[in-house]
Each structure stands twice: as C-alpha cells, then as structure tokens.
Amino acid sequence: ANGAGAGGAKSSNGGSTSTNATNDGKKLMTKEGMERGQVSFGTYKRYIDACGNVGVLLGVVGGLTMYNVVSTASSYWLGYWADHSEDDCCKDNRGLLIYTCFSFGG
C-alpha cells in the first residue's frame, strides 16, 4: 500500500523501481541455468499434465482436427454446388441444406 511493487523500493516520485534485492538484502532472482541436448520425455509429460491430462489434450487436438475436416468439406461442397447448379442434386434446396449442415457443423 506504500506504492512499492513486489521486491521494489519506493522511488522519490512515488513509483516503484526494479531491483534484485529485497529490503533485507536477500536476492529475489537467481541466474537461470541452461541445458544442452534434447528435451526429455518428462518435460513433455509435465506439459501434458499441465493441460489437465492426455484425454483433454487428445480432445482439443481431435476437436481442432474435426473442425478443419468439416471446414474443408464445406468449402468443397460450396465449389461442387456452384459448378453443378443445374444438376438434379442442386436444383432444389438440398444443396443449401447440405451447405447449412456443414456450416453449423464447423
């Protein structure tokens, strides 16, 4: 409530200044290490666990895949419908109904 940010000291203009030490002299930040080589399977597992679980991840990927399939089918049908507008399949409202179903499905 005194205007200082977390770990910052109050400056003369009332704002917060960035610093690497707290008021008691302890460091807030440490130097980050860097590894070389491949990312371990455990790291990927932690990412998946952070998403919820494998089921959630597969659900999201599956949903995105289905969206793209339906969107592509919708675009294909629109082109087919335009090219065959005089054919029996497209003269009545069936063509519009099919396109509407694809649109709502995607």
Side-chain angles (χ1 to χ4, degrees):
N2 65 359
K10 188 169 181 172
S11 65
S12 60
N13 63 4
S16 177
T17 59
S18 179
T19 180
N20 287 342
T22 61
N23 292 338
D24 59 359
K26 294 181 182 177
K27 287 189 176 185
L28 286 177
M29 299 188 320
T30 59
K31 186 169 179 161
E32 184 175 329
M34 184 168 53
E35 297 283 332
R36 292 190 181 268
Q38 296 179 333
V39 177
S40 69
F41 177 75
T43 301
Y44 290 115
K45 183 167 177 0
R46 284 190 295 263
Y47 288 152
I48 293 169
D49 290 341
C51 291
N53 60 32
V54 175
V56 172
L57 183 63
L58 291 176
V60 169
V61 171
L64 291 172
T65 301
M66 286 305 300
Y67 168 78
N68 282 311
V69 167
V70 171
S71 179
T72 301
S74 175
S75 295
Y76 172 80
W77 175 252
L78 187 59
Y80 180 86
W81 185 27
D83 289 342
H84 297 87
S85 60
E86 299 299 321
D87 294 351
D88 287 338
C89 75
C90 303
K91 281 187 177 180
D92 56 11
N93 288 336
R94 279 185 288 173
L96 180 60
L97 178 64
I98 291 170
Y99 182 70
T100 301
C101 289
F102 278 133
S103 295
F104 283 117

